[in-house]
Every structure is written in structure tokens, then in C-alpha cells.
Amino acid sequence: MKDDDDSTHTITIQFHKRAQLLASMLNSDSIAVFTNMDSLTVFADYRIPQLFRHLGIIKYSEYLSGLVDKQQEIKNGSPEEVEIRAATIYASELLRACLEERLKSDLDSSQTVQMTNARLDYYLWSKAVDLAENDIDTKDKIKPFHRCRCIYY
């Protein structure tokens, strides 16, 4: 099985979305206990970039916007697909850190808080699906998600 990575440039970027998702699911159901859940990233797929684009958190180039808006397939492992996933992870990490700081400032010093990327991913993914499929005000306004045929998401 091919790795979920991009090795076509000078560095290799590995995403391992499904492996991270499995670890998160096993941990949340207490089937397995992982002490390093904070080391996971969001599970870079197609819905969170759609949400981030809608909210103006990430912006696509004119070329990439054209591909996505016309619902043309983006090749798995292409620079465009890797950039979408990497930008999503980066933006999510910045968002997670801000949320964690905000939560800490709202609590007294005896309380601890940890905003994991797994928890953030669940919220963001659910919100993206809701906006795209259920919200009357946005479902006709939200731009499409990127199309990429692969087994990784």
C-alpha cells in the first residue's frame, strides 16, 4: 500500500489521516488509551478546507479556485492537493492554540484545559457538513470541496 505522502519535491510530507482517525476513535471509545493524543494533527480531508475557505481562513490561488469551483478532480499527491491539506493542518493548529489560550484565560488557575486537534477536527468537520448540507442560509452559498480520488480520505 502506498503511503499517504508526497515525495515528489525536496521534502516528504506525510499526512496519515486514517491512522490518526483510528487512534482518535479508539481513544475516545476507551478501547485503547493513548497518552500522546496532543501530537495528532487534524485529519486533513476535504470538508475542513471547504469550511476554512468559506470563512476566509485559507485562500486558494485563482488557478486552484477554478479547479475546485468547477469540481474538477485534483490529482492525489499533486502540489495543489498537498498544499490544501498542509494549509488546513497549519491553520487548524493556529486555531487550536488560540482556542486553548482563550479557554485557559476563562478558567481559574486550578483548572487545566487541553484542546486536542481530534476534538477540534470533529467540531470543524461537523460544522462544515452542517453548513454545506443543512444550513438554509449557507448551503447554496458555500463553495464546493476539492475533488480528489484516493483511499486516504
Side-chain angles (χ1 to χ4, degrees), residues 33-152:
V33 178
F34 299 102
T35 58
N36 60 346
M37 291 299 293
D38 59 330
S39 67
L40 299 182
T41 66
V42 294
F43 317 132
D45 61 8
Y46 60 99
R47 285 295 189 181
I48 297 174
Q50 179 188 31
L51 175 66
F52 281 2
R53 185 177 181 215
H54 177 72
L55 297 174
I57 294 171
I58 59 176
K59 184 176 171 137
Y60 295 163
S61 68
E62 192 174 310
Y63 170 74
L64 185 56
S65 292
L67 290 176
V68 175
D69 294 346
K70 293 174 188 166
Q71 300 183 20
Q72 294 179 334
E73 187 174 327
I74 297 172
K75 187 176 183 303
N76 176 249
S78 69
E80 295 83 6
E81 192 250 354
V82 171
E83 288 168 8
I84 289 171
R85 293 178 81 187
T88 300
I89 291 170
Y90 182 74
S92 295
E93 181 55 32
L94 294 176
L95 179 59
R96 186 210 56 78
C98 288
L99 288 171
E100 193 170 85
E101 283 302 311
R102 177 78 185 262
L103 289 170
K104 284 180 184 176
S105 71
D106 290 347
L107 301 174
D108 65 50
S109 59
S110 67
Q111 296 174 301
T112 60
V113 65
Q114 181 184 26
M115 172 59 72
T116 64
N117 280 310
R119 184 175 295 162
L120 180 61
D121 181 274
Y122 178 77
Y123 173 78
L124 294 172
W125 191 88
S126 299
K127 187 66 173 172
V129 170
D130 188 49
L131 287 175
E133 296 178 6
N134 303 321
D135 190 303
I136 292 172
D137 294 329
T138 58
K139 74 178 186 177
D140 294 329
K141 297 175 188 164
I142 193 166
K143 294 186 179 190
F145 55 81
H146 69 281
R147 303 307 201 263
C148 180
R149 287 190 188 271
C150 66
I151 61 170
Y152 305 114

